Amino acid sequence: MNTLRLRAGLNPGFASPPLAPGLGEVVTEEAVVLPPPGAKLHITPLVQEGERVRAGAPVACLRHAPAVCLVAPMQGQVARIDLMPGRILNEIVLFRDSETEGGTEVEQHDVSAAGSLPALRRLLQGAGVWPWIGRRPFGGMPGVDEVPASILVMGSDTRPFAPDPQLVLEGRHEAFARGLDALTRLTDGTVFVTWPHGLPTPRIARGGDRISWLLTGPRHPQASPGICLHRAAPAALDAPVWDLHAEDVAHIGDFMKTGRLSMTRHVHIAGSALAEARMVRTTTGADLRQLVQGLVTPGPHKTMAGGPLDGRSARWLGPRDRQVTVTPRTDPRPEPHWLIRALTSSAFPRPVIPTAALTQAFASALPAVPFLRALGAGDEEAAMRLGLLSLLEEDIALADYVLGTGGDLQRQLRALLDRIETENAP
Amino acid sequence: MTRGLWTRETVAALMLAALMPLALFWLWTSGLAGAMGLTFAIVIIGVWHLVFMLVRAQPPSLSALITALAIAMLAPEELGVFRLALGVSFGVVMGELVFGGWGRNVVNPATVALAFLGFGFPSAPWPAFDAPIAWAAIPAAVLGAALGIMPFALIVAAASVAAAALMLGLLTEPVLFAAGIGLVLLVADPVTSAATGLGRVLNGALYTLFVVFFAAGWSGAAPVQITVASALLASLAAPLLDDIAIQVWVSRRRRRHGRA
């Protein structure tokens, strides 16, 4: 049964040139502070345009929860603070400081006081860790006082072209263990860590009994956070679950020792419009145009933050993105004849035919057909019973791709989640 | 956005490809009469698909050919043009198109059409199948299951129950042949069979059990008639079986996680 489970899933093939050797270090000339995708953050800016900031220095805090800060990804000058009506954050653009000498200055936090749980939370919130955390149900950033029922750490990643977290963790297992220890203090439940099947799991000295390892196979979506949570610790309305990438956990581990939070991350740049794929280490909020500069083949192209399945056209790297996908941009096709349209695309949403491919697109984790029928019919109760609350768009992106529904399923999922969230709002 | 290929029409085309061994062999043995019947069914179904496309903006589907094949192979003989057209129309319109086309239907249109013809015109003789045609159903089932378009669990469950019934001497050869052809043409339909793992096992087993039950207790029934009645009842039971499977799944999860 276990081998069956580890073989579940699909590996859709996407074209991409071979990976260039080595790891590029890129700090882009411009970088931004962004809200997590889909989140509306009312903020209070803590800096003014033109001001110089250190890497990791807070540039804004949430208006209704001043403890939660958004921090500068690199040392530089605040170029533009772009707010929407209601002081909702759109983006804060920074220009890289080229004048400083003697390396970058990184914001230093006092970690000696992190002994108590409230102090630890305040420290992480103030250092800018909060936007890195994903939360389920509904997605977005965790609330300031939210206590998760459990935490999921993604030590494996099966998305196409995703950077291997194991590569990132090389030589950083001590920091990773320290980060996990900090996470065990944030929750009363278990900290689940996904780990590739066949690799030895690291020994954790402290808090090891609160950590549970989830072995995942090589096929997507086995290491998709939603599918892992669905199997191990389903999220519920009163039991939110957080998820974090292993690299961020290692950063937290280093932060707990040195008081400096690294804003770097490994990003894999891939896609069919590239001359060569690359792995780079850059900062959060990096400028995608500079990242892909020199790698793209001539011709119009589309740069997406995220993978080929769940990516979205973007100019900047989001707080939780670790992939950049560049695909050729095709001009919108001319409108076909009305009869052709009637023959091919008049029925929306398209009916889903149950096949083995669909079951595998959910890694056999849940009854896919009844779930999709509940989504299509907008049946909240049935969908929640089948595990809707653990899932987000990224988890069903594969099903959307496999069925050729062009994003319909993700839109249906989001609409249903939004409705449930509104109905259950306090 | 790039797209995968498992759309409705891909599945319909693959279903057709999987049924090709059966269809070609049947056409070869039945000759001109079979070809005429198939063409007639395709025309009638095509007309209805066209009507629903123009009136209800429902895109037509290649699955019409699968329905036509099933009806042409299994419909009672000597019905005449009018009665056959009436039965096919009833099955396709009431069984499929009024629900929104293939993919949204709850019963297989061919099953509905055949049941309508069988119950409506009981004096018409049912076709009989020889061993070679029934053998051709095996590659169809294997292809369908291997491509993932026919429910593997359903086919295995139906075949296992049939094997057990054969050993107990409950199934005669003609009934077994008809039931095998009915399995690939009517029961192993991805849309209207059960959609969960356990549901599919129950669905397949239930179909064969109905066949065994009717074969034992329905005196004077033709093998194909038994097959059609079993397929109809099994597909009507599919939502119930799915519901049972989901209840079991949810209660197991509830025990493990404390919540669904």
Side-chain angles (χ1 to χ4, degrees):
Chain A
M1 197 64 206
N2 204 26
T3 39
L4 254 186
R5 192 172 78 69
L6 287 168
R7 287 166 58 89
L10 302 165
N11 270 348
F14 293 98
S16 179
L19 187 67
L23 177 72
E25 298 265 356
V26 185
V27 179
T28 53
E29 290 301 322
E30 296 176 38
V32 292
V33 177
L34 285 181
K40 275 189 177 172
L41 302 185
H42 297 267
I43 60 153
T44 312
L46 301 175
V47 289
Q48 294 188 341
E49 291 183 1
E51 213 173 293
R52 295 195 179 282
V53 289
R54 283 181 287 194
V59 292
C61 64
L62 298 194
R63 185 129 56 100
H64 305 297
V68 180
C69 291
L70 305 172
V71 302
M74 63 181 187
Q75 182 181 0
Q77 192 177 11
V78 179
R80 197 177 74 244
I81 300 178
D82 187 2
L83 302 181
M84 291 188 284
R87 285 205 236 163
I88 295 172
L89 174 64
N90 192 21
E91 59 187 26
I92 298 176
V93 185
L94 305 172
F95 287 159
R96 186 161 72 108
D97 232 347
S98 49
E99 295 159 19
T100 50
E101 286 168 16
T104 48
E105 294 175 41
V106 182
E107 185 82 359
Q108 177 78 40
H109 294 265
D110 179 18
V111 288
S112 58
S116 71
L117 176 60
L120 175 67
R121 288 177 69 97
R122 264 204 309 282
L123 188 68
L124 293 177
Q125 287 169 350
V129 171
W130 238 236
W132 296 352
I133 305 174
R135 103 177 258 284
R136 287 143 206 272
F138 312 130
M141 203 166 88
V144 61
D145 296 322
E146 188 173 280
V147 179
S150 33
I151 298 179
L152 179 73
V153 175
M154 306 311 297
S156 53
D157 199 339
T158 50
R159 282 173 296 183
F161 301 146
D164 185 3
Q166 297 300 320
L167 213 75
V168 177
L169 287 182
E170 243 174 39
R172 298 188 68 190
H173 281 113
E174 200 187 318
F176 184 59
R178 220 177 301 122
L180 285 179
D181 178 51
L183 291 185
T184 52
R185 291 169 55 200
L186 291 178
T187 172
D188 301 327
T190 315
V191 173
F192 293 96
V193 187
T194 67
W195 208 252
H197 179 71
L199 282 188
T201 53
R203 301 181 68 82
I204 306 290
R206 278 176 60 190
D209 53 327
R210 299 263 310 280
I211 294 169
S212 174
W213 303 88
L214 303 174
L215 299 183
T216 58
R219 292 183 188 158
H220 195 52
Q222 284 211 41
S224 195
I227 300 294
C228 294
L229 281 184
H230 178 82
R231 284 194 165 125
L237 290 171
D238 53 351
V241 184
W242 294 357
D243 70 277
L244 267 152
H245 195 267
E247 187 178 19
D248 294 341
V249 176
H251 284 341
I252 293 174
D254 280 336
F255 173 68
M256 297 312 290
K257 190 176 173 190
T258 62
R260 294 171 182 198
L261 185 65
S262 166
M263 302 305 282
T264 60
R265 61 186 41 194
H266 287 68
V267 174
H268 188 193
I269 306 171
S272 52
L274 293 180
E276 59 174 16
R278 278 201 90 181
M279 185 80 145
V280 296
R281 187 154 67 188
T282 182
T283 58
T284 61
D287 185 357
L288 299 189
R289 291 197 294 202
Q290 191 179 342
L291 285 186
V292 303
Q293 201 174 31
L295 302 177
V296 186
T297 50
H301 61 272
K302 188 170 80 168
T303 311
M304 296 192 291
L309 293 175
D310 56 354
R312 53 191 196 289
S313 288
R315 162 88 198 273
W316 312 102
L317 195 68
R320 286 167 54 78
D321 292 327
R322 293 190 147 73
Q323 282 178 266
V324 176
T325 310
V326 190
T327 51
R329 191 177 63 221
T330 44
D331 291 329
R333 280 180 219 158
E335 194 87 324
H337 188 262
W338 68 267
L339 184 64
I340 305 292
R341 256 192 346 234
L343 288 169
T344 53
S345 57
S346 55
F348 278 102
R350 294 179 186 87
V352 170
I353 310 292
T355 55
L358 173 59
T359 312
Q360 296 304 318
F362 283 96
S364 309
L366 53 98
V369 182
F371 179 70
L372 290 190
R373 282 180 184 156
L375 273 192
D379 183 350
E380 294 161 30
E381 282 180 23
M384 279 164 74
R385 223 158 41 114
L386 295 172
L388 170 73
L389 294 180
S390 300
L391 303 178
L392 287 181
E393 286 98 324
E394 52 181 340
D395 305 307
I396 66 163
L398 179 63
D400 224 336
Y401 166 79
V402 164
L403 296 174
T405 37
D408 281 348
L409 299 181
Q410 295 178 66
R411 280 190 285 277
Q412 287 169 6
L413 180 95
R414 181 37 67 188
L416 206 54
L417 283 176
D418 284 347
R419 207 163 78 208
I420 296 171
E421 191 176 15
T422 322
E423 281 173 4
N424 291 285
Chain B
M1 175 173 176
T2 47
R3 286 182 182 187
L5 49 78
W6 291 95
T7 60
R8 181 174 85 151
E9 292 315 297
T10 315
V11 180
L14 287 176
M15 279 291 280
L16 264 181
L19 291 174
M20 231 9 110
L22 183 64
L24 291 179
F25 204 76
W26 170 76
L27 273 178
W28 184 42
T29 50
S30 65
L32 190 64
M36 294 268 290
L38 182 59
T39 315
F40 182 69
I42 290 174
V43 169
I44 299 283
I45 298 175
V47 167
W48 281 115
H49 273 247
L50 196 67
V51 167
F52 271 76
M53 183 186 85
L54 295 174
V55 178
R56 304 271 312 141
Q58 273 170 215
S61 166
L62 273 178
S63 70
L65 299 179
I66 304 167
T67 311
L69 176 70
I71 294 175
M73 279 185 74
L74 300 173
E77 288 157 348
E78 298 164 26
L79 278 174
V81 171
F82 177 72
R83 289 192 286 185
L84 190 59
L86 188 69
V88 174
S89 301
F90 178 81
V92 171
V93 174
M94 300 312 285
E96 179 184 284
L97 292 174
V98 292
F99 293 102
W102 196 56
R104 301 188 203 282
N105 51 324
V106 286
V107 277
N108 189 325
T111 315
V112 178
L114 293 169
F116 178 86
L117 290 171
F119 290 118
F121 313 110
S123 59
W126 291 88
F129 292 104
D130 299 331
I133 299 183
W135 280 104
I138 294 176
V142 170
L143 270 176
L147 290 169
I149 45 175
M150 287 184 191
F152 178 70
L154 186 151
I155 293 174
V156 170
S160 318
V161 177
L166 262 185
M167 272 193 274
L168 295 172
L170 294 169
L171 272 181
T172 56
E173 260 195 6
V175 175
L176 182 71
F177 293 160
I181 292 170
L183 177 71
V184 291
L185 283 177
L186 305 177
V187 184
D189 167 15
V191 176
T192 58
S193 61
T196 52
L198 176 63
R200 282 171 177 163
V201 171
L202 294 175
N203 199 172
L206 189 69
Y207 166 68
T208 317
L209 285 178
F210 273 131
V211 170
V212 171
F213 179 66
F214 288 143
W218 189 352
S219 61
V224 176
Q225 195 175 10
I226 291 174
T227 301
V228 170
S230 309
L232 182 68
L233 291 177
S235 85
L236 288 178
L240 177 71
L241 303 176
D242 266 345
D243 210 50
I244 294 172
I246 290 174
Q247 295 293 348
V248 169
W249 185 81
V250 168
S251 67
R252 268 169 59 189
R253 277 180 68 77
R254 208 158 262 156
R255 266 210 306 283
R256 191 184 317 155
H257 300 296
R259 55 181 181 264

